[in-house]
Amino acid sequence: MRRLALLTLVLAGCSGAGVTISLQPVTLNLAVVAPTADQVVYPAQPETFTKSPLAVNVRLSGDITPSNLATSVQATFYARGTSPQNDAQCQPVVNGSYYVCPASAESANAISSTLTFSNNQATPFTFSGGGLNQGASNGTLWVGIQVQSGGGISPTFTFNPLELSLSLN
């Protein structure tokens, strides 16, 4: 009964308003992983925050800045609400610091189309879909990348700032 009253209060008070959660910056150092174009790379440690079972509309936004690129890079981004460690198709690499998963098995987790990046140029983004809703419900989020083409000696992608927006509509 208390949950129903709380839910009613939250729904009535929000009337479509949302909550934005600032997350810690995420850096994906692909030099240590050396992924192929058919792999998605996830960090082993997720972004963690207070879970929100009421979120219906979840967006991840901020800037992505690549560095150490020799050429422009085309990449797709993914989000999971569950650990890649618990997925038999994903394998740990770099002493368990990252997981690589076959891109063909990750299509439901895609949160972007293919984007093109240039070295040291911040690109603003807003992603939705994929595993973002599950991540909001669980309070854990793994953000991954699939590099389809281009690259460099030690490509790194930094998400900063990084915000998760939750709303009811």
Side-chain angles (χ1 to χ4, degrees):
M1 187 64 172
R2 285 178 72 191
R3 280 190 172 179
L4 180 58
L6 178 59
L7 175 61
T8 303
L9 179 63
V10 169
L11 290 174
C14 288
S15 62
V19 174
T20 299
I21 301 167
S22 294
L23 302 174
Q24 294 297 313
V26 172
T27 298
L28 298 173
N29 182 352
L30 301 184
V32 298
V33 180
T36 61
D38 62 348
Q39 294 176 318
V40 178
V41 177
Y42 292 99
Q45 296 301 313
E47 288 291 311
T48 58
F49 45 90
T50 302
K51 62 184 178 177
S52 175
L54 300 176
V56 172
N57 201 3
V58 180
R59 291 182 321 278
L60 184 68
S61 60
D63 290 335
I64 301 171
T65 305
S67 57
N68 301 319
L69 301 182
T71 63
S72 62
V73 167
Q74 290 189 318
T76 302
F77 295 89
Y78 297 77
R80 295 178 68 112
T82 59
S83 175
Q85 179 181 6
N86 299 329
D87 188 328
Q89 296 190 57
C90 300
Q91 301 301 314
V93 293
V94 193
N95 296 322
S97 297
Y98 290 92
Y99 281 83
V100 293
C101 307
S104 60
E106 291 294 300
S107 61
N109 294 323
I111 56 174
S112 78
S113 57
T114 300
L115 304 173
T116 301
F117 296 91
S118 297
N119 195 44
N120 295 322
Q121 291 185 358
T123 301
F125 70 89
T126 298
F127 298 147
S128 61
L132 290 175
N133 281 33
Q134 184 181 26
S137 294
N138 294 346
T140 55
L141 184 65
W142 287 262
V143 178
I145 185 172
Q146 174 192 13
V147 175
Q148 282 100 354
S149 66
I153 297 170
S154 56
T156 300
F157 289 80
T158 302
F159 297 77
N160 188 25
L162 188 59
E163 295 182 337
L164 192 64
S165 299
L166 314 169
S167 64
L168 296 174
N169 62 357

